[in-house]
Amino acid sequence: MTEEQVKEFWEGMVPEKSLKSIIAKRKKPYIYESVPLELVEKFKTLGWEIDREYKTTVKMRKIKAFDMAFEDEVWSTIASLGFFYMNKDRNFRMPYSDDPKLTQQVDVFAADNETILFIECKAANGEPKKGNFKETIEAIGGKKEGIHKAVKKLFPKSKYKLKFIFATKNYYLSEPDKERLNNFGILHFDEETVQYYQDLIKHLGLSARFQLLGNLFEGQEIPEIQNQVPAIEGKMGGHTYYSFSIEPEKLLKIAYVLHRNKANKKLMPTYQRLIKKPRLKAIQSFVEDGGIFPNSIIIDISTGKKKLRFDKASPQVEDALSRIGILHLPRQYRSAFIIDGQHRLYGYANSEYKNRNSIPVVAFINLDRKDQVRLFMQINENQKAVPKNLQNTLNSDLLWDSENLNDRIRALKLQIAQDLGEDKSSPLYDRVIVGENPKTAVRCITIDSIKIGLDRSNFFGQFSKKEIKEDGTFFKGDNDSTYDKFFPFIIECFSYIKENLIHEWNQGEADDGFLSINAGIESLLRIFSDIIDHLVKEKIINPKVDKTDHIVTEAIYYLDPLIDYLKHLSGEQRLELKKSYGTGGRARYWRSLQRSINAVRPEFNPNGLAKYWKDEAKTYNEESFKMIRDLETYMKEDFKMRLEENYGEAWFKAGVPKTVYDGANQRASDKNYEAKTKSEEVEPWDCLNIIDYRRIATYGKNWSEIFEKFYTKPGEEKLRGGKEAKTNWMQKLEYIRNQNFHSYSVKVDEYGFLCELNEWLIEKNLGNEFK
């Protein structure tokens, strides 16, 4: 490497004294430019806007390009982790040969006294999509050796650890690209990984670098760490453990916290909540005020295939199970996993007592990750409750290989539910509440709802503890094989629905989105299962062996009528589906989807479909028409009472319009003419229709003087349109009343309307009689 190349390299670094201000600049979403007054309008046409005006110039700003914004996000995150050699800009180039013309552009270069990072960034605006990075990855891999040689010449007095990182945003990698990265020893950071370190920085400050180093250099030696501690060896629960006291600073270097986060997905099962800044500050203040923590931090030491060295002291206590001696901790990054006590440990990270105090530790050795999860849950059972959603995600790992087949299938369903929310290729990506991620307008689907949809499907079958009771359409004998077969299918089905119903899909983004909600996802899962059951029954597919493309192609034939139905729903029908609450509401949602397919494809006729709608209609009708009869009886008695009070003995002529009076008399005359006995005869007042009560109420001054106070629906007192508008409800009641009880199906909203009238007119007034 020439002196000119060395000079250019160091000129491409940010001066350390300027690092803070450059980090702040890179974190901003805008780029800024000082512009002469005469050029302001020209800049505006190019997408710039005014930020601040001065006498002769204007400070203008423009939103960063998406790829540039991501590079700056990665750069500022890494710089905030304590790296003090950082490249100035996007034009930084790294030599990889003695030929000065051969250089590699590097998006992010970061170094400190021990570590050097080279980061290539790729970002795409919009929805996550599949990337093709063959050329980029191979170009980086092919130049690694040359870059290593250049680093040795640039930093001749230091033994640096180098790591190459490929950072992406809104991309998911193909399997070949993942394999290429692995072969070249290049790590992949997606946007969730970047966000994870940003969150850690907010809570831990510079101490977050311990998590980064543990991720980058797992198993690699930590130089110059003192690793010997006095300890007691013991046995508990069939496990060997060591009890010792150690300075927090030493433990931090080898420790790693398995946070339940998308960034740690490859390390599943993970179980820890993200560290909370207020608790850390409280612990730090407590420590610095002389406070002590007598209870031990619980860790698991991972030694791989090596045996942990423990030098027994002499003499020992005879007949004691415990032994005292010197424990040699691993000198490796990410060799001690924190099971309990992360806040206590990291509370020391920024304290002056991190190397002046020692903290008690109980260390297990080479615990299986699932045993770590069990221990975590046992410890937390009697402390802060583990939230239900976090329990679900933990159980998806804990029960995966359970001997109890029911538990094993439960784990499969929970894992599918979790991955539907975390896999970038999934249409439900970031819409499922996983672990302790907060609920939002978009992220509103629970793991439980997805599991219930899978429970009520026939994808996996039915099981007892020890045997298969009923085989499922996708079940292949074990969880791994079943997952690999089923997950791509369900992704394709949801993708097809989303692509063709994007407006209906986007709950939280569009007012009438009604598919990506709990009831919608549960119902779609069940309808996918119904379609597969039909195709299997007709021997069109065999999901256990057929390729995913073939299965989905056959399913689309039945999904298309469903899509057409959902696309043309009225606003009222969309709202009805969106408000499908409770078990009954979700069943109706699902049955509505079944019926829409059956109407176009009659051969698709799932068990119970016809009976459901027949029973559904009867249920509403019986109660609805009873309420109508009660309302008619109440209005007949109440109207008569109020007319008599106002008009006296002549109330029927004085208070009733002539058309109503004549019609009632005619109907009474007709009925009485047909009557066979005196007891069967009726009075004209007994022969009113509901619409007649409306005509009476709005006749002359009847409304304002008699009925307005008692027959204006609550909430409609200020309704525009006067008495006609305020008595519209009687017209709606008349419409329902005139339907045929045996052939008409009372709708849900009509049933709700009748319940509302019944509560207002009958139950309320009935209650008043007893006051």
Side-chain angles (χ1 to χ4, degrees):
M1 180 179 288
T2 65
E3 289 184 12
E4 185 63 28
Q5 285 178 307
V6 173
K7 181 182 176 184
E8 285 180 9
F9 174 86
W10 289 110
E11 286 176 349
M13 295 292 110
V14 174
E16 193 172 347
K17 62 181 181 181
S18 305
L19 204 52
K20 274 191 177 181
S21 63
I22 301 298
I23 290 173
K25 181 180 176 182
R26 293 252 195 167
K27 283 182 176 180
K28 291 179 179 177
Y30 298 96
I31 52 175
Y32 296 86
E33 191 75 44
S34 182
V35 178
L37 292 175
E38 62 270 17
L39 294 179
V40 169
E41 292 305 316
K42 182 179 179 181
F43 268 68
K44 282 183 178 179
T45 63
L46 299 173
W48 293 76
E49 60 185 45
I50 294 174
D51 181 67
R52 191 172 296 176
E53 297 183 60
Y54 301 99
K55 284 186 178 180
T56 58
T57 60
V58 174
K59 185 180 181 183
M60 302 194 75
R61 67 185 189 183
K62 184 180 182 181
I63 289 284
K64 292 175 182 175
F66 195 78
D67 59 339
M68 181 183 185
F70 182 57
E71 286 179 21
D72 283 355
E73 184 182 358
V74 175
W75 190 98
S76 58
T77 301
I78 297 299
S80 299
L81 286 165
F83 292 86
F84 42 80
Y85 295 130
M86 301 292 302
N87 60 304
K88 280 182 181 177
D89 52 39
R90 306 174 85 187
N91 299 316
F92 177 77
R93 304 193 72 84
M94 184 71 192
Y96 61 89
S97 169
D98 290 335
D99 185 344
K101 294 180 181 179
L102 297 178
T103 59
Q104 172 67 39
Q105 186 271 337
V106 177
D107 293 327
V108 181
F109 173 90
D112 58 14
N113 290 328
E114 299 175 355
T115 307
I116 294 177
L117 306 179
F118 294 91
I119 306 177
E120 175 73 16
C121 300
K122 296 290 182 185
N125 209 345
E127 293 280 320
K129 60 184 181 182
K130 191 174 185 178
N132 182 3
F133 300 113
K134 180 179 184 294
E135 290 184 8
T136 303
I137 295 169
E138 288 179 348
I140 298 170
K143 295 165 187 172
K144 276 183 67 180
E145 186 178 348
I147 290 173
H148 271 275
K149 290 179 180 178
V151 165
K152 288 179 180 178
K153 293 178 181 179
L154 289 165
F155 302 93
K157 296 181 181 180
S158 302
K159 291 183 178 180
Y160 278 89
K161 294 182 183 297
L162 269 67
K163 187 59 71 172
F164 291 80
I165 298 170
F166 187 60
T168 62
K169 185 169 187 174
N170 286 343
Y171 281 113
Y172 52 93
L173 302 185
S174 66
E175 290 303 319
D177 279 347
K178 290 178 184 177
E179 191 174 335
R180 289 184 191 101
L181 288 173
N182 186 56
N183 291 340
F184 286 119
I186 303 170
L187 280 183
H188 176 228
F189 279 13
D190 60 13
E191 63 266 39
E192 276 119 11
T193 308
V194 177
Q195 183 63 52
Y196 169 65
Y197 288 115
Q198 290 174 353
D199 291 341
L200 278 185
I201 291 165
K202 288 176 188 175
H203 296 303
L204 298 179
L206 286 176
S207 297
R209 70 182 278 108
F210 294 121
Q211 284 287 106
L212 175 69
L213 295 175
N215 193 358
L216 298 178
F217 304 116
E218 177 195 11
Q220 293 189 31
E221 291 290 323
I222 302 173
E224 301 174 1
I225 184 175
Q226 209 291 326
N227 70 326
Q228 297 178 28
V229 292
I232 299 173
E233 181 187 72
K235 297 281 186 182
M236 182 165 50
H239 298 284
T240 297
Y241 74 92
Y242 295 91
S243 180
F244 56 87
S245 182
I246 189 172
E247 299 89 330
E249 186 178 44
K250 291 180 182 178
L251 184 56
L252 280 166
K253 289 183 179 180
I254 65 171
Y256 195 82
V257 183
L258 287 165
H259 289 128
R260 190 79 201 186
N261 185 279
K262 294 177 187 176
N264 287 324
K265 189 174 180 182
K266 290 181 180 177
L267 300 176
M268 293 296 184
T270 55
Y271 46 86
Q272 289 279 15
R273 304 175 178 97
L274 194 62
I275 295 169
K276 298 185 183 298
K277 192 173 186 177
R279 286 187 66 189
L280 287 184
K281 285 186 174 180
I283 289 171
Q284 185 174 335
S285 297
F286 178 73
V287 167
E288 291 176 351
D289 287 341
I292 60 172
F293 290 106
N295 48 331
S296 297
I297 290 172
I298 312 297
I299 69 172
D300 175 67
I301 296 176
S302 176
T303 66
K305 295 180 180 179
K306 294 181 180 179
K307 186 177 180 180
L308 191 66
R309 181 178 169 185
F310 179 66
D311 298 332
K312 294 177 184 177
S314 180
Q316 297 283 342
V317 177
E318 292 184 12
D319 300 326
L321 289 176
S322 299
R323 295 287 183 265
I324 59 173
I326 302 296
L327 181 67
H328 296 251
L329 296 171
R331 287 178 170 165
Q332 295 171 338
Y333 292 105
R334 204 160 86 185
S335 56
F337 294 97
I338 308 298
I339 297 173
D340 185 62
Q342 60 167 332
H343 285 92
R344 276 169 277 155
L345 176 60
Y346 276 93
Y348 276 98
N350 297 313
S351 167
E352 60 180 296
Y353 292 94
K354 62 186 174 185
N355 54 13
R356 291 163 54 187
N357 279 7
S358 62
I359 53 176
V361 176
V362 170
F364 291 90
I365 310 300
N366 294 326
L367 282 180
D368 182 89
R369 192 67 53 78
K370 290 174 183 177
D371 288 331
Q372 294 181 39
V373 174
R374 287 191 186 93
L375 186 53
F376 168 80
M377 293 182 78
Q378 288 167 7
I379 291 169
N380 282 273
E381 263 181 4
N382 297 315
Q383 298 178 24
K384 183 178 178 181
V386 180
K388 177 67 182 298
N389 229 44
L390 182 55
Q391 288 181 39
N392 279 335
T393 51
L394 293 177
N395 278 326
S396 67
D397 301 316
L398 197 60
L399 304 175
W400 189 260
D401 295 314
S402 172
E403 292 183 3
N404 183 322
L405 291 179
N406 259 326
D407 286 346
R408 195 185 302 175
I409 292 301
R410 179 185 170 203
L412 173 64
K413 293 171 183 175
L414 291 172
Q415 189 64 55
I416 289 165
Q418 179 181 324
D419 288 351
L420 281 171
E422 292 190 325
D423 193 302
K424 281 199 184 70
S425 66
S426 168
L428 293 176
Y429 172 69
D430 208 28
R431 291 179 178 271
V432 181
I433 306 168
V434 177
E436 293 188 293
N437 289 338
K439 180 180 179 180
T440 66
V442 174
R443 191 191 299 122
C444 62
I445 300 164
T446 64
I447 284 179
D448 264 349
S449 287
I450 297 175
K451 181 183 174 293
I452 289 169
L454 295 173
D455 284 343
R456 293 171 176 168
S457 76
N458 190 38
F459 292 128
F460 312 119
Q462 300 295 322
F463 300 83
S464 65
K465 288 184 178 182
K466 296 293 183 183
E467 60 183 26
I468 302 170
K469 295 167 67 177
E470 185 179 324
D471 194 21
T473 51
F474 275 84
F475 185 64
K476 298 195 70 178
D478 65 86
N479 278 4
D480 290 311
S481 301
T482 304
Y483 177 95
D484 291 343
K485 192 68 184 173
F486 176 76
F487 194 70
F489 160 76
I490 209 68
I491 290 289
E492 290 298 321
C493 285
F494 277 127
S495 296
Y496 190 75
I497 295 293
K498 180 184 177 182
E499 287 163 10
N500 287 280
L501 293 165
I502 191 68
H503 194 59
E504 292 76 11
W505 181 267
N506 286 327
Q507 160 69 6
E509 298 166 12
D511 289 338
D512 57 354
F514 57 88
L515 290 176
S516 58
I517 60 175
N518 286 311
I521 296 305
E522 179 189 323
S523 299
L524 285 172
L525 285 166
R526 297 179 74 178
I527 208 74
F528 297 155
S529 178
D530 292 333
I531 291 171
I532 293 300
D533 285 346
H534 172 71
L535 292 170
V536 169
K537 182 181 176 183
E538 297 298 317
K539 299 183 178 179
I540 297 171
I541 62 168
N542 181 353
K544 297 178 192 290
V545 297
D546 289 349
K547 291 184 177 179
T548 301
D549 289 348
H550 171 63
I551 299 170
V552 173
T553 299
E554 295 297 338
I556 283 173
Y557 178 73
Y558 294 95
L559 290 176
D560 283 341
L562 170 64
I563 289 167
D564 187 63
Y565 161 75
L566 293 170
K567 195 176 287 185
H568 293 95
L569 288 176
S570 67
E572 188 177 338
Q573 290 170 317
R574 290 165 185 255
L575 187 61
E576 185 179 326
L577 287 180
K578 196 170 185 177
K579 292 185 175 180
S580 297
Y581 305 129
T583 305
R586 293 189 181 192
R588 187 178 180 86
Y589 196 134
W590 165 55
R591 292 294 189 181
S592 298
L593 303 188
Q594 286 183 327
R595 184 169 62 176
S596 71
I597 300 173
N598 171 258
V600 181
R601 309 272 191 255
E603 72 277 11
F604 176 80
N605 190 23
N607 289 336
L609 176 60
K611 184 177 184 301
Y612 172 84
W613 289 109
K614 185 178 178 181
D615 292 346
E616 183 77 356
K618 286 180 181 178
T619 300
Y620 281 126
N621 281 14
E622 189 172 339
E623 194 172 348
S624 294
F625 284 100
K626 179 184 181 301
M627 284 192 283
I628 290 171
R629 288 192 296 273
D630 291 343
L631 287 164
E632 283 186 290
T633 301
Y634 173 80
M635 291 172 74
K636 183 174 80 169
E637 294 173 355
D638 190 66
F639 265 66
K640 182 179 179 181
M641 178 192 73
R642 297 190 189 284
L643 289 172
E644 285 179 332
E645 287 177 355
N646 195 72
Y647 293 107
E649 290 183 5
W651 65 273
F652 192 37
K653 285 186 179 181
V656 176
K658 189 172 187 306
T659 54
V660 175
Y661 179 87
D662 290 344
N665 276 291
Q666 183 60 53
R667 286 190 290 275
S669 176
D670 291 343
K671 287 186 178 182
N672 291 338
Y673 183 78
E674 298 291 334
K676 294 179 180 179
T677 64
K678 189 71 175 175
S679 62
E680 292 179 353
E681 292 184 1
V682 295
E683 296 293 326
W685 186 250
D686 297 324
C687 299
L688 295 183
N689 297 319
I690 290 175
I691 204 65
D692 290 330
Y693 295 114
R694 187 186 190 213
R695 291 170 183 149
I696 294 170
T698 57
Y699 176 60
K701 294 184 178 180
N702 281 357
W703 182 250
S704 58
E705 293 183 358
I706 305 175
F707 295 106
E708 182 175 17
K709 179 181 177 182
F710 303 101
Y711 283 88
T712 299
K713 284 181 68 181
E716 293 187 357
E717 292 82 2
K718 297 181 180 180
L719 185 68
R720 290 184 178 182
K723 57 189 178 184
E724 294 299 324
K726 292 179 179 179
T727 56
N728 264 339
W729 63 266
M730 295 187 194
Q731 194 167 338
K732 184 175 180 180
L733 178 61
E734 170 80 357
Y735 170 79
I736 302 171
R737 168 66 180 85
N738 289 341
Q739 303 307 311
N740 187 308
F741 175 82
H742 299 288
S743 62
Y744 184 73
S745 175
V746 176
K747 299 181 180 64
V748 176
D749 63 321
E750 292 173 335
Y751 173 73
F753 167 73
L754 293 173
C755 289
E756 184 184 351
L757 292 185
N758 188 66
E759 182 180 352
W760 164 44
L761 289 174
I762 299 178
E763 294 179 11
K764 178 182 174 184
N765 288 299
L766 207 65
N768 289 336
E769 290 181 16
F770 295 97
K771 287 183 178 178

